[in-house]
Amino acid sequence: MVKVSVIVPIYGAEKYIASSARSILGQTWENTEFIFVNDGTPDRSIYILKELIDTEFRNKKQHIILLEKENEGAPMARHRGLEVSSGDYILFADSDDTLEPEMVEKLALAACGAGADVAYCGFYKEKGSGRGRVCRERLFDSSEEYAREMLAYHAYGYLWNKLLHRSLFKGRYATPRYGMHDDMVLLCQILPAARKLVRVDEPLYHYRCDNAASLSHRRKALRDVESARNFLSMIQFWEGEERVPFQESLPLLYARAGWAAYKYDPAIWTQFSGLEAHVMELDYGIPHPFRLLRMKLWLHARLEK
């Protein structure tokens, strides 16, 4: 029986942490360790979690790790949890979401049965009570295709519906600093190294999308800027490498980052000095060609000054 590490960053989840922790700690897969990372949350989330463990899950205390750290955002909290984890496979979960009781078991059995580095499943997208809308993942021929389609928004770029083999984290990758699209930034670097994928064709995760404290409820401008900075930092990290795992998606990433700089934050142009040249070199075969035209005209006028 392979060991699975479930890593959960905690910040601002007071309203949801009890139901989330119950669903996580109540998993049917016995060989599971649970790592909760307090990302400097200012509310009572950690107190509620500790009380729940003491009253309902005392028999699992030896499998539970509680970590404390200053607030740096979910990506760094996940990274901290990964550092102390010991599982053969890693599953990330958010502290305002819930898992089906057999999620870990079904993903672990599928991964082991297929000899896969990644097992992924569908999920429920929920607002309020009830099971919400079912979102199903497509079948992919390769991990490279999955990563490419994810960056094109043709596949779900979430971490929490994927069981990932530990070996995928031993390679070279940049850890995202900001919360927006941090899942995709990590996945597009590690997924191409996966030798085999397997899909569990049923929804096993409940994604809450009505939490006012979540990133999805922040202003679009801030979300787009954080996303651009995450991807550009990742590109800089890989600069000069002979093999870049997301090479085919670079034009799309440059176009999106350029649009965020043009529309919302001009400081991005100077902080990532090569971005202007990359945008000017793009052809119009990418999505939103009129956006690219506007950027090129603006950059041309700027360079003439």
Side-chain angles (χ1 to χ4, degrees), residues 27-156:
Q27 289 296 302
T28 57
W29 190 252
E30 291 185 8
N31 197 13
T32 305
E33 71 173 0
F34 308 94
I35 303 172
F36 296 93
V37 186
N38 177 13
D39 188 36
T41 186
D43 61 10
R44 298 177 65 253
S45 296
I46 300 304
Y47 173 81
I48 294 170
L49 173 63
K50 289 179 177 178
E51 186 176 47
L52 182 73
I53 292 170
D54 286 338
T55 56
E56 298 183 31
F57 295 97
R58 295 181 67 182
N59 62 323
K60 289 193 173 183
K61 272 192 173 184
Q62 68 271 28
H63 303 294
I64 300 171
I65 300 172
L66 300 178
L67 301 176
E68 302 282 340
K69 65 180 295 298
E70 63 181 12
N71 176 243
E72 294 180 286
M76 297 307 293
R78 293 190 191 103
H79 184 70
R80 177 71 184 109
L82 188 61
E83 287 179 330
V84 304
S85 66
S86 59
D88 304 292
Y89 284 89
I90 308 295
L91 180 71
F92 296 101
D94 287 350
S95 56
D96 54 352
D97 298 335
T98 55
L99 287 60
E100 287 290 305
E102 295 181 340
M103 179 175 180
V104 171
E105 180 174 352
K106 289 181 177 180
L107 290 177
L109 288 174
C112 293
D117 291 326
V118 179
Y120 62 101
C121 65
F123 57 94
Y124 297 99
K125 196 172 186 178
E126 300 178 350
K127 290 183 179 180
S129 58
R131 285 185 174 256
R133 179 167 66 91
V134 174
C135 300
R136 296 190 181 276
E137 286 275 24
R138 293 164 44 199
L139 273 173
F140 295 95
D141 293 330
S142 68
S143 55
E144 291 88 350
E145 180 196 14
Y146 194 171
R148 187 172 61 251
E149 292 293 279
M150 177 186 67
L151 289 173
Y153 299 151
H154 297 155
Y156 295 111

Side-chain angles (χ1 to χ4, degrees), residues 209-242:
C209 53
D210 61 350
N211 181 1
S214 70
L215 283 173
S216 60
H217 286 261
R218 296 163 69 179
R219 288 190 307 115
K220 183 180 186 320
L222 182 58
R223 298 200 309 268
D224 286 357
V225 166
E226 286 197 359
S227 173
R229 291 182 181 279
N230 267 342
F231 280 112
L232 288 171
S233 295
M234 175 190 72
I235 292 168
Q236 282 189 335
F237 177 86
W238 283 88
E239 194 171 14
E241 291 291 321
E242 187 175 330

